[in-house]
Amino acid sequence: MSDQVQPAQGPGTSGPGPDGAGFTYRGAERELIVVARPEARLRAQAEGVRSATGADVSALNMFLSDEQLVLEPLFGSEERLQQSAAPSDGNVPDLAMFYRVRGGESRAEELRSRIAALPGVETAYIKPGAVPASLAEESGRLKEGAPVTPDFSSRQGYLRPAPEGIDAHWAWQRPGGSGQGVTVIDVEGAWQLGHEDLAAKLAGVVVGTPLTDLAWRNHGTAVIGVIGGDRNEFGVNGIVPEAVTAAASFQGIGTAAAIHAAADRLGPGDVVLIELHRPGPRFEYAERDDQRGYVAIEWWPDDYAAIRYATAKGVLVVEAAGNGGESLDDAVYERRPDDFPEWWRNPFNPSNQSSGAVLVGAGAPPPGTHGRDHGPDRSRLAFSNYGARLDAQGWGREVTTTGGFWDKPGDLQGGPEEIAWYTDTFSGTSSASPVVVGALAALQGMLKAAAQQPMSPERARSVLRATGSPQQDAPGRPASQRIGNRPDIKAAVTRLLPQAVGSGQAERYWDELLPYPRELPPRLRLFVAGAWRNLNHPSPEVRQAVHSAFAGGRPDVRVWFSDDEIVGLVVTG
């Protein structure tokens, strides 16, 4: 990894992932999950458990009573699940089979093995505590006591045109491109909902109780800022500032229940973002400060079922792939854990039924961003998981957004008021995922504005894979270690809204070497279909090809445009 960041001194300051010493988020709980046998049709009640088919559950009730445990339906009462307008997709696991055990946290391993052996129970397993899929890096740029927040948007390179960014600037000029009509719910632990730059479209916490840990709060605040930061004259700009953003905390209910509850509050085309990962099988599910071996949470059966439920409803789910430095194609993921149900299949294997989520890896930003070099632009960062299952990448370093630096005030702007903190160093698959969410929400907004059906989860994954700025090689990290393309909103629009894109043959051209006014970008202007169209920031190769075509006297320059902006160009003569 060609990361030039100088590590800080002392424990826990250089960041998790293969290249750092690590740090710890406090408050994440392990979860003991029970999977009932389908034929038992268990029904959990205040006085114990019964079977709707008359199966003998006396041993189960005796065990729960003796150990002072409660078996709680993970996704709500069994009757409600049966009666709800749940998707009829036969590939969605039966949510009524999943239960969570309340109590006995200190003896979870012992209780797991005993409850798994009881009649009416297929299996039981323990989920390690979920943590944000983010990294910490020392910036040394703490700015205390800033009286007035300046405009930091020039530092948000991920908003710029492709390939550097996803071209949010272009999307803002199109109907719906700021995310109008789209709701995004962020599933994680905590947020600073009173932040000065998150006032316009933030709907608050829709489920769960936020954690009180500052590191969790800074993380959630950073995520929401990337997606929905207010567009104003200070701070940062969200990719889709007109989208409604909301929060769902897993504390007290678990990650699967939080995902399920978030999906129930959304409609087709809306987005659930999962900003968490967990220790995986590589190191026997051990919690590690360096996050080696951590994987996307869809590995666990109940989380997979909740995600599958959401995507079957038409809700897009975007999921951090994790910072474990893992190939998710490795054979270690093909072995079914002994305590997983028989029906489980490796969700990272594309040959198996997919959860439908967009899985996001972390790519390097352009070298020189904020004066740092993390490797070739769009190359896989060393900590990022990779594999055939991954759909797209976002910036995994140097993301400027709202919130502080891990468990400290903001490194870009600190001071005594948490509501005015900003960071320049939000990182990990946690920073990459909201970048992809922003691109998808912009596209959904444009589809809605054009009275078109929003993208289905399957179509969203297809568009991300078929368009965008390609992943690049890095020393020791070739592009064959797939994290996918960086989204390009403009390129995706040509696939999704062909009726919004005109085409024609260029009749004249004007190479505007000195733009007027000076604030405009360098551009090549072509007269197509009765009007001048602009190609901003043309490459030297494109410039030369157009010059040569017209100099030859019989130019054949085919142009695709949206309004007055060129979105595609082919020179054949």
Side-chain angles (χ1 to χ4, degrees):
M1 181 174 183
S2 57
D3 189 347
Q4 303 301 311
V5 179
Q6 296 300 313
Q9 301 301 311
T13 54
S14 63
D19 56 334
F23 60 90
T24 302
Y25 285 92
R26 292 180 290 276
E29 302 173 331
R30 296 198 302 172
E31 299 176 50
L32 175 52
I33 304 298
V34 171
V35 183
R37 293 190 179 278
E39 64 272 16
R41 292 181 61 193
L42 297 186
R43 297 293 183 265
Q45 300 172 314
E47 63 274 13
V49 178
R50 68 177 181 87
S51 166
T53 58
D56 184 3
V57 291
S58 58
L60 176 57
N61 276 316
M62 186 179 299
F63 174 81
L64 295 172
S65 177
D66 289 348
E67 298 295 340
Q68 297 184 326
L69 304 175
V70 175
L71 202 61
E72 180 180 272
L74 187 58
F75 298 112
S77 75
E78 301 91 343
E79 284 77 10
R80 186 183 70 82
L81 289 171
Q82 295 291 335
Q83 297 167 5
S84 69
S88 58
D89 188 335
N91 291 313
V92 179
D94 183 358
L95 301 184
M97 295 188 301
F98 292 95
Y99 293 83
R100 185 178 182 183
V101 176
R102 295 287 189 181
E105 287 81 5
S106 61
R107 297 186 298 123
E109 292 289 352
E110 173 201 346
L111 295 173
R112 186 213 65 77
S113 60
R114 291 173 62 191
I115 200 169
L118 293 170
V121 174
E122 179 179 350
T123 190
Y125 55 91
I126 297 170
K127 293 163 57 177
V131 296
S134 67
L135 300 169
E137 56 183 328
E138 185 63 28
S139 73
R141 297 197 296 269
L142 189 64
K143 178 181 177 182
E144 294 288 352
V148 178
T149 300
D151 184 354
F152 297 128
S153 61
S154 64
R155 306 183 70 83
Q156 295 178 270
Y158 56 89
L159 300 177
R160 295 175 190 151
E164 176 182 2
I166 63 173
D167 216 347
H169 295 153
W170 181 84
W172 295 344
Q173 307 306 313
R174 271 68 197 171
S178 295
Q180 292 92 333
V182 180
T183 299
V184 179
I185 298 182
D186 176 32
V187 177
E188 51 175 302
W191 308 261
Q192 173 48 266
L193 300 178
H195 196 282
E196 64 174 6
D197 217 2
L198 302 177
K201 293 287 184 177
L202 184 57
V205 180
V206 297
V207 67
T209 304
L211 293 155
T212 58
D213 185 55
L214 178 58
W216 280 96
R217 197 158 65 245
N218 277 337
H219 183 276
T221 306
V223 169
I224 297 293
V226 173
I227 300 167
D230 298 343
R231 194 188 303 168
N232 49 37
E233 301 303 316
F234 65 88
V236 298
N237 291 322
I239 297 171
V240 279
E242 294 302 319
V244 173
T245 52
S249 175
F250 66 83
Q251 182 178 225
I253 60 173
T255 53
I259 295 165
H260 180 267
D264 272 345
R265 286 161 172 78
L266 298 174
D270 291 330
V271 187
V272 168
L273 169 60
I274 303 172
E275 279 286 305
L276 304 164
H277 62 175
R278 282 196 178 89
R282 174 71 65 193
F283 299 106
E284 301 297 330
Y285 305 98
E287 297 178 7
R288 300 167 56 104
D289 280 352
D290 65 4
Q291 297 186 3
R292 284 290 304 275
Y294 279 41
V295 297
I297 70 170
E298 67 176 45
W299 170 260
W300 284 268
D302 58 316
D303 290 312
Y304 170 90
I307 294 169
R308 191 76 195 91
Y309 171 85
T311 56
K313 285 188 63 177
V315 174
L316 305 190
V317 177
V318 177
E319 181 184 4
N323 300 342
E326 285 284 291
S327 169
L328 300 184
D329 298 331
D330 193 276
V332 70
Y333 299 106
E334 288 300 320
R335 187 184 72 82
R336 180 178 63 83
D338 295 339
D339 50 2
F340 279 14
E342 291 284 349
W343 52 259
W344 179 90
R345 298 292 182 271
N346 174 16
F348 304 144
N349 184 340
S351 298
N352 297 329
Q353 174 66 49
S354 171
S355 70
V358 172
L359 213 58
V360 179
T369 301
H370 303 159
R372 298 181 178 182
D373 182 1
H374 299 281
D377 185 28
R378 288 168 279 130
S379 62
R380 181 180 75 85
L381 292 166
F383 60 79
S384 178
N385 290 343
Y386 59 95
R389 173 65 181 84
L390 271 71
D391 297 297
Q393 64 164 292
W395 278 31
R397 294 279 194 184
E398 306 299 335
V399 170
T400 301
T401 182
T402 48
F405 164 68
W406 181 40
D407 65 348
K408 303 176 180 65
D411 52 291
L412 182 58
Q413 177 167 288
E417 297 294 333
E418 186 181 332
I419 63 170
W421 290 353
Y422 294 83
T423 179
D424 235 1
T425 54
F426 188 36
S427 304
T429 50
S430 272
S431 67
S433 297
V435 171
V436 174
V437 166
L440 290 173
L443 292 169
Q444 297 288 56
M446 282 188 271
L447 285 166
K448 289 191 174 188
Q452 301 293 309
Q453 288 294 316
M455 289 182 289
S456 66
E458 182 179 3
R459 192 179 188 200
R461 293 180 63 204
S462 174
V463 167
L464 289 172
R465 285 171 173 261
T467 63
S469 304
Q471 179 181 346
Q472 302 297 302
D473 292 327
R477 302 189 301 281
S480 58
Q481 296 179 347
R482 178 183 172 84
I483 58 172
N485 300 338
R486 178 181 294 158
D488 177 350
I489 295 173
K490 184 190 296 185
V493 166
T494 65
R495 176 173 289 261
L496 288 169
L497 287 168
Q499 70 274 22
V501 178
S503 65
Q505 188 169 350
E507 302 172 35
R508 302 192 295 277
Y509 85 103
W510 174 17
D511 196 347
E512 195 174 67
L513 299 176
L514 295 174
Y516 182 83
R518 294 180 181 178
E519 292 76 21
L520 291 175
R523 57 186 181 173
L524 184 64
R525 309 195 71 196
L526 296 164
F527 193 82
V528 184
W532 286 101
R533 320 288 179 178
N534 304 315
L535 177 63
N536 294 329
H537 302 285
S539 69
E541 293 79 11
V542 168
R543 265 200 169 110
Q544 183 58 48
V546 171
H547 283 216
S548 300
F550 277 91
R554 299 185 64 183
D556 187 1
V557 181
R558 188 74 177 177
V559 176
W560 288 262
F561 56 87
S562 177
D563 297 330
D564 65 347
E565 191 153 2
I566 294 171
V567 297
L569 181 148
V570 174
V571 180
T572 58

